[in-house]
Amino acid sequence: PSQITDNVQRGNYATLTDKDVAFFEHLLGKNFALTEDLEGYNICFLKRIRGNSKLVLKPGTTAEVSAILKYCNERKLAVVPQGGNTGLVGGSVPICDEIVLSLARLNKVLSVDEVTGIAVVEAGCILENFDQKARDVGLTVPLDLGAKASCHIGGNVSTNAGGVRVVRYGNLHGSVLGVEAVLANGQVLDLMSNFKKDNTGYHMKHLFIGSEGTLGVVTKLSMLCPHSSKAVNVAFIGLNSFDDVLKTFVSAKRNLGEILSSCELIDERALNTALEQFKFLNSPISGYPFYMLIETSGSNGDHDEDKINQFIGSGMERGEIQDGTVTGDPGKVQEIWKIREMVPLGLIEKSFCFKYDISLPLRDFYNIVDVMRERCGPHATVVCGYGHLGDSNLHLNVSCNEFNDEIYKRVEPFVYEYTSKLKGSISAEHGIGFLKKDYLHYSKDPVAIGWMRDMKKLLDPNGILNPYKVLN
Ligand code: FAD
Ligand code: MLT
Ligand code: ZN
């Protein structure tokens, strides 16, 4: 953990007393009001932010969440909602001594309807477990990301997580049909809906999609799950320039449009770091500056395979694609996906990593990686880019052996200024959390920020929900 939390002024909140702990132990039972071994709840995934919470609460029902918040609101005790704690912006851990409210026990899939495709699930259900339940009846959760084995669906909704299928299914504002959220004062707001179409008044569910636990605690949601595709094919291709990457993307949309389900980019430094770090990974091709992972999901295996092979063949004839491999074999498909999924972990495990998650116009998408490499010079060990090309979302990563103030100053706020000049977004999918709260204005107009503050005050007048996050 770095010095970045040292300057935080603790808010005017009450301090936890033995009486408070006794209340929660009575409410939940001693096993679910934890006061020991709290390290894992206090430290963020990137190990950059460490809080000092003395209490972790694990409610098992919405009514318990409601009772906890009602009590905390009356006592002015600050609370940080926590899902799988895989967030990358320090949003899910305490900054000072906030109580951690873990959703881990609210983990049931309540129903999955194979006719309508609608699933109802509790917020603490791990994404991979939810997807398995959906697959059991021939559906799939329209969201997939590398942290699926530990992130919660409630955490995904609260961050409006993107991932690798947005190009096909859109983001969670479209797939989430309804939410149940508990407000700071303990009121349960039932915004559940089992229909795609529901124009009865303000669309309040959207307030809880992407608000990172600052407006309420999501306890349940309903989601529209597409039917799983019969045929999935993955191509992993090598390219010589970013210009060729863009041409290949256009060709993928033109020729594979109706079956395209993912379009990811990995540059050679990102790939090589993962391959060096995890010897079990096998890349089918090597030696190119850029790689793309293109996935198709359709209903006719032979037809889809022909299409993707033709797409690669014609790209090679035009000299845009240098080499590639295509597979429809489920084991091999997974092996290729594993390469992409391990890219962030390769960088995080190798050394200290400054991570940026930005939306940029496609034509300017990759320039910043070269610009940043130049700016950082030998101070940085790796400067690389990868991400969700299909959504104009670049993950720029700058690594160094340990936290290095010199690099920090060269990278920030430069990266935000650069993004802002191009009218991009300084947070495409990870959210603002703690790490990016001072930079929100690079992507949001002051009037909009003013209204965000007013909404926060209206829903959480005592500011107990996830303080020090999103708004500064
Ligand atoms: P947490 O990290 O626990 O919490 C995240 C935020 O949501 C916090 O502000 C927290 O207070 C709040 N929160 C959590 N649960 C609730 C709730 N029930 N109610 C209210 N607030 C809540 N993100 C992407 O968008 N796309 C990716 O492709 C992607 N890939 C990743 C790959 C790896 C290897 C890792 C480590 C992370 C990745 N992430 C990605 C980031 C992260 O996984 C997502 O942000 C994820 O949605 C967080 O879910 P979580 O359950 O871990 O939430
Ligand atoms: C990804 O796409 O791999 C994630 O968003 C994590 C990251 O940015 O490293
Ligand atoms: Zn991502």
Side-chain angles (χ1 to χ4, degrees), residues 135-171:
R135 281 184 190 273
D136 289 347
V137 299
L139 302 173
T140 182
V141 175
L143 169 78
D144 188 9
L145 60 156
K148 60 189 155 211
S150 12
C151 63
H152 294 180
I153 191 67
N156 300 145
V157 168
S158 303
T159 54
N160 186 26
V164 296
R165 300 259 150 68
V166 175
V167 75
R168 171 69 162 260
Y169 300 118
N171 67 27

Side-chain angles (χ1 to χ4, degrees), residues 161-231:
V164 296
R165 300 259 150 68
V166 175
V167 75
R168 171 69 162 260
Y169 300 118
N171 67 27
L172 291 177
H173 285 283
S175 313
V176 172
L177 300 184
V179 301
E180 175 188 83
V182 182
L183 300 178
N185 65 6
Q187 254 181 348
V188 178
L189 191 54
D190 181 350
L191 302 169
M192 292 296 285
S193 166
N194 282 340
F195 294 97
K196 207 170 171 180
K197 302 182 81 169
D198 174 13
N199 275 351
T200 51
Y202 301 151
H203 291 220
M204 282 165 58
K205 71 175 180 198
H206 294 296
L207 278 182
F208 301 95
I209 303 174
S211 53
E212 303 181 56
T214 61
L215 300 181
V217 176
V218 175
T219 43
K220 193 163 74 178
L221 55 115
S222 54
M223 184 171 280
L224 192 58
C225 296
H227 285 80
S228 12
S229 304
K230 286 193 211 143

Side-chain angles (χ1 to χ4, degrees), residues 67-86:
I68 291 168
L69 290 185
K70 184 170 186 295
Y71 182 89
C72 289
N73 192 45
E74 281 163 10
R75 277 274 296 128
K76 290 207 182 163
L77 287 162
V79 176
V80 51
Q82 190 173 89
N85 199 11
T86 66

Side-chain angles (χ1 to χ4, degrees), residues 27-45:
L27 179 72
L28 304 176
K30 280 198 178 188
N31 287 344
F32 303 121
L34 313 178
T35 51
E36 279 168 21
D37 296 329
L38 307 186
E39 175 71 358
Y41 300 93
N42 267 313
I43 189 154
C44 80
F45 189 90

Side-chain angles (χ1 to χ4, degrees), residues 45-165:
F45 189 90
L46 294 177
K47 308 216 174 345
R48 271 191 86 178
I49 311 289
R50 172 184 272 129
N52 189 25
S53 179
K54 302 277 192 279
L55 181 66
V56 173
L57 300 177
K58 294 186 145 187
T61 62
T62 300
E64 286 176 356
V65 175
S66 164
I68 291 168
L69 290 185
K70 184 170 186 295
Y71 182 89
C72 289
N73 192 45
E74 281 163 10
R75 277 274 296 128
K76 290 207 182 163
L77 287 162
V79 176
V80 51
Q82 190 173 89
N85 199 11
T86 66
L88 298 173
V89 289
S92 50
V93 287
I95 301 302
C96 298
D97 56 349
E98 301 89 283
I99 294 172
V100 175
L101 175 53
S102 163
L103 277 299
R105 283 178 65 222
L106 275 167
N107 58 7
K108 288 187 282 302
V109 177
L110 299 172
S111 62
V112 185
D113 184 333
E114 62 177 303
V115 176
T116 60
I118 293 167
V120 180
V121 59
E122 290 181 337
C125 184
I126 289 177
L127 175 58
E128 198 166 59
N129 298 347
F130 179 24
D131 191 54
Q132 191 49 56
K133 289 274 189 219
R135 281 184 190 273
D136 289 347
V137 299
L139 302 173
T140 182
V141 175
L143 169 78
D144 188 9
L145 60 156
K148 60 189 155 211
S150 12
C151 63
H152 294 180
I153 191 67
N156 300 145
V157 168
S158 303
T159 54
N160 186 26
V164 296
R165 300 259 150 68

Side-chain angles (χ1 to χ4, degrees), residues 316-334:
M316 286 177 86
E317 267 168 36
R318 291 192 300 273
E320 292 159 11
I321 297 174
Q322 299 308 313
D323 197 0
T325 175
V326 179
T327 181
D329 175 84
K332 291 195 176 122
V333 165
Q334 270 204 1

Side-chain angles (χ1 to χ4, degrees), residues 258-274:
E258 74 284 9
I259 50 171
L260 186 66
S261 52
S262 201
C263 185
E264 298 282 309
L265 174 76
I266 313 176
D267 76 5
E268 70 174 328
R269 288 174 175 88
L271 180 73
N272 291 346
T273 307

